[in-house]
Amino acid sequence: MAIIRYKGDYEALDAAALERWKSVPPAVAGDCLNRTASMAGRVSPLHPDMRIIGHARTIRVMAGDNACVHAAIPLMRQGEIIVIDAGGNPDVAIIGEILVTAAKHKGVAGFVIDGAARDVAELRSGDVPVFASASVPAGPHKGFGGSIDGPISCGGVPVHTGDLILGDADGVTVVPLGQAAAILEAGEAHVRKETDMLAQLAAGKTTAEMLGIEIPEITAE
């Protein structure tokens, strides 16, 4: 089956905006997106110190086949994040040390895959962050097709090429590119609010007080 390639053009955020995004964690961005844009917990970093910020390039693979990823890597640009819809299959690794190293030489800033990786020890100690939903030694086939830069679902969240990908020890949040400016402003304000809440906790106030949650009277024995 042929690999389908979609038009992958998008207007990237400038360096100053990306730098500002470093202060907005995925959890905060997810809250600002009405808690609808964070991937399922199964998509997690191979090492808790891994963090990613960058524009998505989307790939959908056929079950157990990674030819599409090999075909996509030469198309990648500096700082992009490869986001792969592998259908959540935990039984066949779609990426490993060779593919991640090839992507590193193209300037790829990370991988997110709803599916399996292998060579996990090497990937954990490497400098390309990898977020995956499983690990397994079984390797993939090649040649069954897929798509590059088309709409996908990864970890239960829609992803389009150009969307902003945020990942840390909590997991991954997807910020639609068209909403990035507004969510950045909201995220920075949310971070300031949480900083203030922590200061109030240190001063002896409770979260119930801050959130307006009443402490109930005893109504049962």
mmCIF file with all atom_site columns, all heavy atoms in Angstrom, residues 2-28:
data_model
loop_
_atom_site.group_PDB
_atom_site.id
_atom_site.type_symbol
_atom_site.label_atom_id
_atom_site.label_alt_id
_atom_site.label_comp_id
_atom_site.label_asym_id
_atom_site.label_entity_id
_atom_site.label_seq_id
_atom_site.pdbx_PDB_ins_code
_atom_site.Cartn_x
_atom_site.Cartn_y
_atom_site.Cartn_z
_atom_site.occupancy
_atom_site.B_iso_or_equiv
_atom_site.pdbx_formal_charge
_atom_site.auth_seq_id
_atom_site.auth_comp_id
_atom_site.auth_asym_id
_atom_site.auth_atom_id
_atom_site.pdbx_PDB_model_num
ATOM 1   N N   . ALA A 1 2  ? 0.538  2.257  -0.759 1.00 0.00 ? 2  ALA A N   1
ATOM 2   C CA  . ALA A 1 2  ? 1.344  3.464  -0.857 1.00 0.00 ? 2  ALA A CA  1
ATOM 3   C C   . ALA A 1 2  ? 1.259  4.302  0.411  1.00 0.00 ? 2  ALA A C   1
ATOM 4   O O   . ALA A 1 2  ? 0.269  4.258  1.151  1.00 0.00 ? 2  ALA A O   1
ATOM 5   C CB  . ALA A 1 2  ? 0.873  4.287  -2.052 1.00 0.00 ? 2  ALA A CB  1
ATOM 6   N N   . ILE A 1 3  ? 2.297  5.093  0.635  1.00 0.00 ? 3  ILE A N   1
ATOM 7   C CA  . ILE A 1 3  ? 2.290  6.073  1.716  1.00 0.00 ? 3  ILE A CA  1
ATOM 8   C C   . ILE A 1 3  ? 1.626  7.339  1.205  1.00 0.00 ? 3  ILE A C   1
ATOM 9   O O   . ILE A 1 3  ? 1.985  7.858  0.143  1.00 0.00 ? 3  ILE A O   1
ATOM 10  C CB  . ILE A 1 3  ? 3.728  6.372  2.190  1.00 0.00 ? 3  ILE A CB  1
ATOM 11  C CG1 . ILE A 1 3  ? 4.341  5.122  2.827  1.00 0.00 ? 3  ILE A CG1 1
ATOM 12  C CG2 . ILE A 1 3  ? 3.729  7.531  3.177  1.00 0.00 ? 3  ILE A CG2 1
ATOM 13  C CD1 . ILE A 1 3  ? 5.813  5.257  3.143  1.00 0.00 ? 3  ILE A CD1 1
ATOM 14  N N   . ILE A 1 4  ? 0.647  7.828  1.942  1.00 0.00 ? 4  ILE A N   1
ATOM 15  C CA  . ILE A 1 4  ? -0.045 9.054  1.575  1.00 0.00 ? 4  ILE A CA  1
ATOM 16  C C   . ILE A 1 4  ? 0.646  10.230 2.261  1.00 0.00 ? 4  ILE A C   1
ATOM 17  O O   . ILE A 1 4  ? 0.841  10.219 3.472  1.00 0.00 ? 4  ILE A O   1
ATOM 18  C CB  . ILE A 1 4  ? -1.520 9.001  2.004  1.00 0.00 ? 4  ILE A CB  1
ATOM 19  C CG1 . ILE A 1 4  ? -2.223 7.828  1.326  1.00 0.00 ? 4  ILE A CG1 1
ATOM 20  C CG2 . ILE A 1 4  ? -2.233 10.313 1.683  1.00 0.00 ? 4  ILE A CG2 1
ATOM 21  C CD1 . ILE A 1 4  ? -3.600 7.551  1.886  1.00 0.00 ? 4  ILE A CD1 1
ATOM 22  N N   . ARG A 1 5  ? 1.021  11.226 1.469  1.00 0.00 ? 5  ARG A N   1
ATOM 23  C CA  . ARG A 1 5  ? 1.666  12.415 2.026  1.00 0.00 ? 5  ARG A CA  1
ATOM 24  C C   . ARG A 1 5  ? 0.766  13.629 1.828  1.00 0.00 ? 5  ARG A C   1
ATOM 25  O O   . ARG A 1 5  ? 0.382  13.953 0.712  1.00 0.00 ? 5  ARG A O   1
ATOM 26  C CB  . ARG A 1 5  ? 3.030  12.654 1.366  1.00 0.00 ? 5  ARG A CB  1
ATOM 27  C CG  . ARG A 1 5  ? 3.767  13.860 1.912  1.00 0.00 ? 5  ARG A CG  1
ATOM 28  C CD  . ARG A 1 5  ? 5.101  14.040 1.220  1.00 0.00 ? 5  ARG A CD  1
ATOM 29  N NE  . ARG A 1 5  ? 5.721  15.317 1.577  1.00 0.00 ? 5  ARG A NE  1
ATOM 30  C CZ  . ARG A 1 5  ? 6.806  15.803 0.992  1.00 0.00 ? 5  ARG A CZ  1
ATOM 31  N NH1 . ARG A 1 5  ? 7.411  15.115 0.022  1.00 0.00 ? 5  ARG A NH1 1
ATOM 32  N NH2 . ARG A 1 5  ? 7.302  16.977 1.362  1.00 0.00 ? 5  ARG A NH2 1
ATOM 33  N N   . TYR A 1 6  ? 0.421  14.277 2.936  1.00 0.00 ? 6  TYR A N   1
ATOM 34  C CA  . TYR A 1 6  ? -0.385 15.486 2.904  1.00 0.00 ? 6  TYR A CA  1
ATOM 35  C C   . TYR A 1 6  ? 0.533  16.716 2.871  1.00 0.00 ? 6  TYR A C   1
ATOM 36  O O   . TYR A 1 6  ? 1.717  16.641 3.212  1.00 0.00 ? 6  TYR A O   1
ATOM 37  C CB  . TYR A 1 6  ? -1.274 15.574 4.141  1.00 0.00 ? 6  TYR A CB  1
ATOM 38  C CG  . TYR A 1 6  ? -2.369 14.540 4.221  1.00 0.00 ? 6  TYR A CG  1
ATOM 39  C CD1 . TYR A 1 6  ? -2.087 13.219 4.606  1.00 0.00 ? 6  TYR A CD1 1
ATOM 40  C CD2 . TYR A 1 6  ? -3.689 14.865 3.934  1.00 0.00 ? 6  TYR A CD2 1
ATOM 41  C CE1 . TYR A 1 6  ? -3.091 12.273 4.692  1.00 0.00 ? 6  TYR A CE1 1
ATOM 42  C CE2 . TYR A 1 6  ? -4.707 13.922 4.023  1.00 0.00 ? 6  TYR A CE2 1
ATOM 43  C CZ  . TYR A 1 6  ? -4.395 12.630 4.399  1.00 0.00 ? 6  TYR A CZ  1
ATOM 44  O OH  . TYR A 1 6  ? -5.384 11.691 4.483  1.00 0.00 ? 6  TYR A OH  1
ATOM 45  N N   . LYS A 1 7  ? -0.036 17.850 2.495  1.00 0.00 ? 7  LYS A N   1
ATOM 46  C CA  . LYS A 1 7  ? 0.701  19.104 2.548  1.00 0.00 ? 7  LYS A CA  1
ATOM 47  C C   . LYS A 1 7  ? 0.979  19.448 4.002  1.00 0.00 ? 7  LYS A C   1
ATOM 48  O O   . LYS A 1 7  ? 0.057  19.495 4.822  1.00 0.00 ? 7  LYS A O   1
ATOM 49  C CB  . LYS A 1 7  ? -0.114 20.206 1.875  1.00 0.00 ? 7  LYS A CB  1
ATOM 50  C CG  . LYS A 1 7  ? 0.633  21.507 1.692  1.00 0.00 ? 7  LYS A CG  1
ATOM 51  C CD  . LYS A 1 7  ? -0.221 22.512 0.914  1.00 0.00 ? 7  LYS A CD  1
ATOM 52  C CE  . LYS A 1 7  ? 0.535  23.812 0.687  1.00 0.00 ? 7  LYS A CE  1
ATOM 53  N NZ  . LYS A 1 7  ? -0.279 24.786 -0.080 1.00 0.00 ? 7  LYS A NZ  1
ATOM 54  N N   . GLY A 1 8  ? 2.240  19.672 4.330  1.00 0.00 ? 8  GLY A N   1
ATOM 55  C CA  . GLY A 1 8  ? 2.619  19.867 5.732  1.00 0.00 ? 8  GLY A CA  1
ATOM 56  C C   . GLY A 1 8  ? 3.028  21.277 6.082  1.00 0.00 ? 8  GLY A C   1
ATOM 57  O O   . GLY A 1 8  ? 3.794  21.485 7.030  1.00 0.00 ? 8  GLY A O   1
ATOM 58  N N   . ASP A 1 9  ? 2.523  22.280 5.373  1.00 0.00 ? 9  ASP A N   1
ATOM 59  C CA  . ASP A 1 9  ? 2.899  23.658 5.642  1.00 0.00 ? 9  ASP A CA  1
ATOM 60  C C   . ASP A 1 9  ? 2.194  24.197 6.883  1.00 0.00 ? 9  ASP A C   1
ATOM 61  O O   . ASP A 1 9  ? 1.029  23.889 7.128  1.00 0.00 ? 9  ASP A O   1
ATOM 62  C CB  . ASP A 1 9  ? 2.555  24.558 4.452  1.00 0.00 ? 9  ASP A CB  1
ATOM 63  C CG  . ASP A 1 9  ? 3.337  24.179 3.197  1.00 0.00 ? 9  ASP A CG  1
ATOM 64  O OD1 . ASP A 1 9  ? 4.378  23.507 3.345  1.00 0.00 ? 9  ASP A OD1 1
ATOM 65  O OD2 . ASP A 1 9  ? 2.910  24.564 2.102  1.00 0.00 ? 9  ASP A OD2 1
ATOM 66  N N   . TYR A 1 10 ? 2.885  25.014 7.646  1.00 0.00 ? 10 TYR A N   1
ATOM 67  C CA  . TYR A 1 10 ? 2.289  25.722 8.775  1.00 0.00 ? 10 TYR A CA  1
ATOM 68  C C   . TYR A 1 10 ? 3.192  26.902 9.116  1.00 0.00 ? 10 TYR A C   1
ATOM 69  O O   . TYR A 1 10 ? 4.362  26.929 8.733  1.00 0.00 ? 10 TYR A O   1
ATOM 70  C CB  . TYR A 1 10 ? 2.115  24.811 9.996  1.00 0.00 ? 10 TYR A CB  1
ATOM 71  C CG  . TYR A 1 10 ? 3.417  24.286 10.566 1.00 0.00 ? 10 TYR A CG  1
ATOM 72  C CD1 . TYR A 1 10 ? 4.105  24.979 11.561 1.00 0.00 ? 10 TYR A CD1 1
ATOM 73  C CD2 . TYR A 1 10 ? 3.971  23.088 10.116 1.00 0.00 ? 10 TYR A CD2 1
ATOM 74  C CE1 . TYR A 1 10 ? 5.296  24.509 12.078 1.00 0.00 ? 10 TYR A CE1 1
ATOM 75  C CE2 . TYR A 1 10 ? 5.162  22.611 10.629 1.00 0.00 ? 10 TYR A CE2 1
ATOM 76  C CZ  . TYR A 1 10 ? 5.820  23.321 11.610 1.00 0.00 ? 10 TYR A CZ  1
ATOM 77  O OH  . TYR A 1 10 ? 7.009  22.860 12.112 1.00 0.00 ? 10 TYR A OH  1
ATOM 78  N N   . GLU A 1 11 ? 2.629  27.884 9.811  1.00 0.00 ? 11 GLU A N   1
ATOM 79  C CA  . GLU A 1 11 ? 3.410  29.052 10.214 1.00 0.00 ? 11 GLU A CA  1
ATOM 80  C C   . GLU A 1 11 ? 3.944  28.819 11.620 1.00 0.00 ? 11 GLU A C   1
ATOM 81  O O   . GLU A 1 11 ? 3.189  28.856 12.603 1.00 0.00 ? 11 GLU A O   1
ATOM 82  C CB  . GLU A 1 11 ? 2.557  30.316 10.164 1.00 0.00 ? 11 GLU A CB  1
ATOM 83  C CG  . GLU A 1 11 ? 3.351  31.586 10.415 1.00 0.00 ? 11 GLU A CG  1
ATOM 84  C CD  . GLU A 1 11 ? 2.542  32.849 10.221 1.00 0.00 ? 11 GLU A CD  1
ATOM 85  O OE1 . GLU A 1 11 ? 1.443  32.764 9.625  1.00 0.00 ? 11 GLU A OE1 1
ATOM 86  O OE2 . GLU A 1 11 ? 3.002  33.919 10.677 1.00 0.00 ? 11 GLU A OE2 1
ATOM 87  N N   . ALA A 1 12 ? 5.238  28.575 11.724 1.00 0.00 ? 12 ALA A N   1
ATOM 88  C CA  . ALA A 1 12 ? 5.843  28.238 13.010 1.00 0.00 ? 12 ALA A CA  1
ATOM 89  C C   . ALA A 1 12 ? 5.877  29.442 13.944 1.00 0.00 ? 12 ALA A C   1
ATOM 90  O O   . ALA A 1 12 ? 5.972  30.599 13.515 1.00 0.00 ? 12 ALA A O   1
ATOM 91  C CB  . ALA A 1 12 ? 7.261  27.712 12.790 1.00 0.00 ? 12 ALA A CB  1
ATOM 92  N N   . LEU A 1 13 ? 5.786  29.166 15.234 1.00 0.00 ? 13 LEU A N   1
ATOM 93  C CA  . LEU A 1 13 ? 5.956  30.204 16.241 1.00 0.00 ? 13 LEU A CA  1
ATOM 94  C C   . LEU A 1 13 ? 7.400  30.696 16.221 1.00 0.00 ? 13 LEU A C   1
ATOM 95  O O   . LEU A 1 13 ? 8.322  29.931 15.935 1.00 0.00 ? 13 LEU A O   1
ATOM 96  C CB  . LEU A 1 13 ? 5.616  29.665 17.629 1.00 0.00 ? 13 LEU A CB  1
ATOM 97  C CG  . LEU A 1 13 ? 4.200  29.115 17.829 1.00 0.00 ? 13 LEU A CG  1
ATOM 98  C CD1 . LEU A 1 13 ? 4.037  28.630 19.260 1.00 0.00 ? 13 LEU A CD1 1
ATOM 99  C CD2 . LEU A 1 13 ? 3.149  30.159 17.503 1.00 0.00 ? 13 LEU A CD2 1
ATOM 100 N N   . ASP A 1 14 ? 7.586  31.963 16.537 1.00 0.00 ? 14 ASP A N   1
ATOM 101 C CA  . ASP A 1 14 ? 8.953  32.476 16.557 1.00 0.00 ? 14 ASP A CA  1
ATOM 102 C C   . ASP A 1 14 ? 9.676  32.022 17.829 1.00 0.00 ? 14 ASP A C   1
ATOM 103 O O   . ASP A 1 14 ? 9.073  31.493 18.765 1.00 0.00 ? 14 ASP A O   1
ATOM 104 C CB  . ASP A 1 14 ? 8.991  33.997 16.400 1.00 0.00 ? 14 ASP A CB  1
ATOM 105 C CG  . ASP A 1 14 ? 8.260  34.745 17.510 1.00 0.00 ? 14 ASP A CG  1
ATOM 106 O OD1 . ASP A 1 14 ? 8.220  34.248 18.653 1.00 0.00 ? 14 ASP A OD1 1
ATOM 107 O OD2 . ASP A 1 14 ? 7.730  35.835 17.235 1.00 0.00 ? 14 ASP A OD2 1
ATOM 108 N N   . ALA A 1 15 ? 10.977 32.245 17.860 1.00 0.00 ? 15 ALA A N   1
ATOM 109 C CA  . ALA A 1 15 ? 11.807 31.760 18.964 1.00 0.00 ? 15 ALA A CA  1
ATOM 110 C C   . ALA A 1 15 ? 11.378 32.359 20.299 1.00 0.00 ? 15 ALA A C   1
ATOM 111 O O   . ALA A 1 15 ? 11.414 31.680 21.337 1.00 0.00 ? 15 ALA A O   1
ATOM 112 C CB  . ALA A 1 15 ? 13.278 32.073 18.689 1.00 0.00 ? 15 ALA A CB  1
ATOM 113 N N   . ALA A 1 16 ? 10.948 33.625 20.289 1.00 0.00 ? 16 ALA A N   1
ATOM 114 C CA  . ALA A 1 16 ? 10.543 34.274 21.539 1.00 0.00 ? 16 ALA A CA  1
ATOM 115 C C   . ALA A 1 16 ? 9.298  33.611 22.119 1.00 0.00 ? 16 ALA A C   1
ATOM 116 O O   . ALA A 1 16 ? 9.198  33.395 23.332 1.00 0.00 ? 16 ALA A O   1
ATOM 117 C CB  . ALA A 1 16 ? 10.299 35.759 21.297 1.00 0.00 ? 16 ALA A CB  1
ATOM 118 N N   . ALA A 1 17 ? 8.338  33.276 21.248 1.00 0.00 ? 17 ALA A N   1
ATOM 119 C CA  . ALA A 1 17 ? 7.117  32.616 21.724 1.00 0.00 ? 17 ALA A CA  1
ATOM 120 C C   . ALA A 1 17 ? 7.430  31.228 22.268 1.00 0.00 ? 17 ALA A C   1
ATOM 121 O O   . ALA A 1 17 ? 6.923  30.829 23.326 1.00 0.00 ? 17 ALA A O   1
ATOM 122 C CB  . ALA A 1 17 ? 6.099  32.531 20.603 1.00 0.00 ? 17 ALA A CB  1
ATOM 123 N N   . LEU A 1 18 ? 8.269  30.485 21.563 1.00 0.00 ? 18 LEU A N   1
ATOM 124 C CA  . LEU A 1 18 ? 8.632  29.151 22.049 1.00 0.00 ? 18 LEU A CA  1
ATOM 125 C C   . LEU A 1 18 ? 9.359  29.234 23.388 1.00 0.00 ? 18 LEU A C   1
ATOM 126 O O   . LEU A 1 18 ? 9.171  28.376 24.258 1.00 0.00 ? 18 LEU A O   1
ATOM 127 C CB  . LEU A 1 18 ? 9.506  28.442 21.016 1.00 0.00 ? 18 LEU A CB  1
ATOM 128 C CG  . LEU A 1 18 ? 8.772  27.900 19.783 1.00 0.00 ? 18 LEU A CG  1
ATOM 129 C CD1 . LEU A 1 18 ? 9.774  27.366 18.763 1.00 0.00 ? 18 LEU A CD1 1
ATOM 130 C CD2 . LEU A 1 18 ? 7.786  26.809 20.170 1.00 0.00 ? 18 LEU A CD2 1
ATOM 131 N N   . GLU A 1 19 ? 10.167 30.261 23.557 1.00 0.00 ? 19 GLU A N   1
ATOM 132 C CA  . GLU A 1 19 ? 10.870 30.435 24.829 1.00 0.00 ? 19 GLU A CA  1
ATOM 133 C C   . GLU A 1 19 ? 9.871  30.687 25.956 1.00 0.00 ? 19 GLU A C   1
ATOM 134 O O   . GLU A 1 19 ? 10.014 30.143 27.059 1.00 0.00 ? 19 GLU A O   1
ATOM 135 C CB  . GLU A 1 19 ? 11.859 31.597 24.720 1.00 0.00 ? 19 GLU A CB  1
ATOM 136 C CG  . GLU A 1 19 ? 12.734 31.798 25.942 1.00 0.00 ? 19 GLU A CG  1
ATOM 137 C CD  . GLU A 1 19 ? 13.674 30.631 26.224 1.00 0.00 ? 19 GLU A CD  1
ATOM 138 O OE1 . GLU A 1 19 ? 14.059 29.929 25.275 1.00 0.00 ? 19 GLU A OE1 1
ATOM 139 O OE2 . GLU A 1 19 ? 14.017 30.434 27.413 1.00 0.00 ? 19 GLU A OE2 1
ATOM 140 N N   . ARG A 1 20 ? 8.851  31.489 25.689 1.00 0.00 ? 20 ARG A N   1
ATOM 141 C CA  . ARG A 1 20 ? 7.823  31.741 26.703 1.00 0.00 ? 20 ARG A CA  1
ATOM 142 C C   . ARG A 1 20 ? 7.079  30.468 27.062 1.00 0.00 ? 20 ARG A C   1
ATOM 143 O O   . ARG A 1 20 ? 6.702  30.262 28.229 1.00 0.00 ? 20 ARG A O   1
ATOM 144 C CB  . ARG A 1 20 ? 6.851  32.807 26.208 1.00 0.00 ? 20 ARG A CB  1
ATOM 145 C CG  . ARG A 1 20 ? 7.403  34.213 26.189 1.00 0.00 ? 20 ARG A CG  1
ATOM 146 C CD  . ARG A 1 20 ? 6.433  35.174 25.514 1.00 0.00 ? 20 ARG A CD  1
ATOM 147 N NE  . ARG A 1 20 ? 5.153  35.262 26.231 1.00 0.00 ? 20 ARG A NE  1
ATOM 148 C CZ  . ARG A 1 20 ? 4.075  35.877 25.750 1.00 0.00 ? 20 ARG A CZ  1
ATOM 149 N NH1 . ARG A 1 20 ? 4.118  36.431 24.537 1.00 0.00 ? 20 ARG A NH1 1
ATOM 150 N NH2 . ARG A 1 20 ? 2.958  35.917 26.458 1.00 0.00 ? 20 ARG A NH2 1
ATOM 151 N N   . TRP A 1 21 ? 6.850  29.597 26.076 1.00 0.00 ? 21 TRP A N   1
ATOM 152 C CA  . TRP A 1 21 ? 6.128  28.359 26.342 1.00 0.00 ? 21 TRP A CA  1
ATOM 153 C C   . TRP A 1 21 ? 6.857  27.463 27.338 1.00 0.00 ? 21 TRP A C   1
ATOM 154 O O   . TRP A 1 21 ? 6.233  26.606 27.975 1.00 0.00 ? 21 TRP A O   1
ATOM 155 C CB  . TRP A 1 21 ? 5.880  27.601 25.038 1.00 0.00 ? 21 TRP A CB  1
ATOM 156 C CG  . TRP A 1 21 ? 4.600  27.964 24.371 1.00 0.00 ? 21 TRP A CG  1
ATOM 157 C CD1 . TRP A 1 21 ? 4.434  28.697 23.231 1.00 0.00 ? 21 TRP A CD1 1
ATOM 158 C CD2 . TRP A 1 21 ? 3.283  27.614 24.803 1.00 0.00 ? 21 TRP A CD2 1
ATOM 159 N NE1 . TRP A 1 21 ? 3.101  28.832 22.932 1.00 0.00 ? 21 TRP A NE1 1
ATOM 160 C CE2 . TRP A 1 21 ? 2.370  28.173 23.879 1.00 0.00 ? 21 TRP A CE2 1
ATOM 161 C CE3 . TRP A 1 21 ? 2.783  26.888 25.881 1.00 0.00 ? 21 TRP A CE3 1
ATOM 162 C CZ2 . TRP A 1 21 ? 0.990  28.022 24.008 1.00 0.00 ? 21 TRP A CZ2 1
ATOM 163 C CZ3 . TRP A 1 21 ? 1.406  26.732 26.005 1.00 0.00 ? 21 TRP A CZ3 1
ATOM 164 C CH2 . TRP A 1 21 ? 0.537  27.292 25.080 1.00 0.00 ? 21 TRP A CH2 1
ATOM 165 N N   . LYS A 1 22 ? 8.163  27.652 27.509 1.00 0.00 ? 22 LYS A N   1
ATOM 166 C CA  . LYS A 1 22 ? 8.918  26.815 28.442 1.00 0.00 ? 22 LYS A CA  1
ATOM 167 C C   . LYS A 1 22 ? 8.429  26.991 29.877 1.00 0.00 ? 22 LYS A C   1
ATOM 168 O O   . LYS A 1 22 ? 8.660  26.121 30.721 1.00 0.00 ? 22 LYS A O   1
ATOM 169 C CB  . LYS A 1 22 ? 10.407 27.130 28.348 1.00 0.00 ? 22 LYS A CB  1
ATOM 170 C CG  . LYS A 1 22 ? 11.048 26.694 27.039 1.00 0.00 ? 22 LYS A CG  1
ATOM 171 C CD  . LYS A 1 22 ? 12.540 27.004 27.018 1.00 0.00 ? 22 LYS A CD  1
ATOM 172 C CE  . LYS A 1 22 ? 13.172 26.572 25.703 1.00 0.00 ? 22 LYS A CE  1
ATOM 173 N NZ  . LYS A 1 22 ? 14.623 26.887 25.655 1.00 0.00 ? 22 LYS A NZ  1
ATOM 174 N N   . SER A 1 23 ? 7.752  28.096 30.155 1.00 0.00 ? 23 SER A N   1
ATOM 175 C CA  . SER A 1 23 ? 7.261  28.337 31.520 1.00 0.00 ? 23 SER A CA  1
ATOM 176 C C   . SER A 1 23 ? 5.862  27.802 31.745 1.00 0.00 ? 23 SER A C   1
ATOM 177 O O   . SER A 1 23 ? 5.326  27.907 32.854 1.00 0.00 ? 23 SER A O   1
ATOM 178 C CB  . SER A 1 23 ? 7.284  29.841 31.822 1.00 0.00 ? 23 SER A CB  1
ATOM 179 O OG  . SER A 1 23 ? 6.298  30.522 31.056 1.00 0.00 ? 23 SER A OG  1
ATOM 180 N N   . VAL A 1 24 ? 5.245  27.220 30.702 1.00 0.00 ? 24 VAL A N   1
ATOM 181 C CA  . VAL A 1 24 ? 3.872  26.716 30.815 1.00 0.00 ? 24 VAL A CA  1
ATOM 182 C C   . VAL A 1 24 ? 3.887  25.192 30.734 1.00 0.00 ? 24 VAL A C   1
ATOM 183 O O   . VAL A 1 24 ? 4.081  24.623 29.657 1.00 0.00 ? 24 VAL A O   1
ATOM 184 C CB  . VAL A 1 24 ? 2.975  27.298 29.710 1.00 0.00 ? 24 VAL A CB  1
ATOM 185 C CG1 . VAL A 1 24 ? 1.554  26.763 29.833 1.00 0.00 ? 24 VAL A CG1 1
ATOM 186 C CG2 . VAL A 1 24 ? 2.977  28.820 29.755 1.00 0.00 ? 24 VAL A CG2 1
ATOM 187 N N   . PRO A 1 25 ? 3.697  24.488 31.840 1.00 0.00 ? 25 PRO A N   1
ATOM 188 C CA  . PRO A 1 25 ? 3.723  23.018 31.815 1.00 0.00 ? 25 PRO A CA  1
ATOM 189 C C   . PRO A 1 25 ? 2.544  22.442 31.030 1.00 0.00 ? 25 PRO A C   1
ATOM 190 O O   . PRO A 1 25 ? 1.499  23.102 30.878 1.00 0.00 ? 25 PRO A O   1
ATOM 191 C CB  . PRO A 1 25 ? 3.625  22.636 33.300 1.00 0.00 ? 25 PRO A CB  1
ATOM 192 C CG  . PRO A 1 25 ? 3.952  23.871 34.057 1.00 0.00 ? 25 PRO A CG  1
ATOM 193 C CD  . PRO A 1 25 ? 3.512  25.014 33.193 1.00 0.00 ? 25 PRO A CD  1
ATOM 194 N N   . PRO A 1 26 ? 2.689  21.208 30.547 1.00 0.00 ? 26 PRO A N   1
ATOM 195 C CA  . PRO A 1 26 ? 1.565  20.555 29.865 1.00 0.00 ? 26 PRO A CA  1
ATOM 196 C C   . PRO A 1 26 ? 0.293  20.514 30.699 1.00 0.00 ? 26 PRO A C   1
ATOM 197 O O   . PRO A 1 26 ? -0.812 20.663 30.159 1.00 0.00 ? 26 PRO A O   1
ATOM 198 C CB  . PRO A 1 26 ? 2.091  19.145 29.584 1.00 0.00 ? 26 PRO A CB  1
ATOM 199 C CG  . PRO A 1 26 ? 3.567  19.292 29.547 1.00 0.00 ? 26 PRO A CG  1
ATOM 200 C CD  . PRO A 1 26 ? 3.899  20.370 30.534 1.00 0.00 ? 26 PRO A CD  1
ATOM 201 N N   . ALA A 1 27 ? 0.418  20.325 32.006 1.00 0.00 ? 27 ALA A N   1
ATOM 202 C CA  . ALA A 1 27 ? -0.772 20.268 32.862 1.00 0.00 ? 27 ALA A CA  1
ATOM 203 C C   . ALA A 1 27 ? -1.521 21.594 32.841 1.00 0.00 ? 27 ALA A C   1
ATOM 204 O O   . ALA A 1 27 ? -2.760 21.623 32.784 1.00 0.00 ? 27 ALA A O   1
ATOM 205 C CB  . ALA A 1 27 ? -0.370 19.910 34.294 1.00 0.00 ? 27 ALA A CB  1
ATOM 206 N N   . VAL A 1 28 ? -0.786 22.698 32.883 1.00 0.00 ? 28 VAL A N   1
ATOM 207 C CA  . VAL A 1 28 ? -1.413 24.016 32.867 1.00 0.00 ? 28 VAL A CA  1
ATOM 208 C C   . VAL A 1 28 ? -2.062 24.275 31.514 1.00 0.00 ? 28 VAL A C   1
ATOM 209 O O   . VAL A 1 28 ? -3.202 24.750 31.430 1.00 0.00 ? 28 VAL A O   1
ATOM 210 C CB  . VAL A 1 28 ? -0.383 25.109 33.213 1.00 0.00 ? 28 VAL A CB  1
ATOM 211 C CG1 . VAL A 1 28 ? -0.938 26.497 32.907 1.00 0.00 ? 28 VAL A CG1 1
ATOM 212 C CG2 . VAL A 1 28 ? 0.028  25.013 34.672 1.00 0.00 ? 28 VAL A CG2 1
#
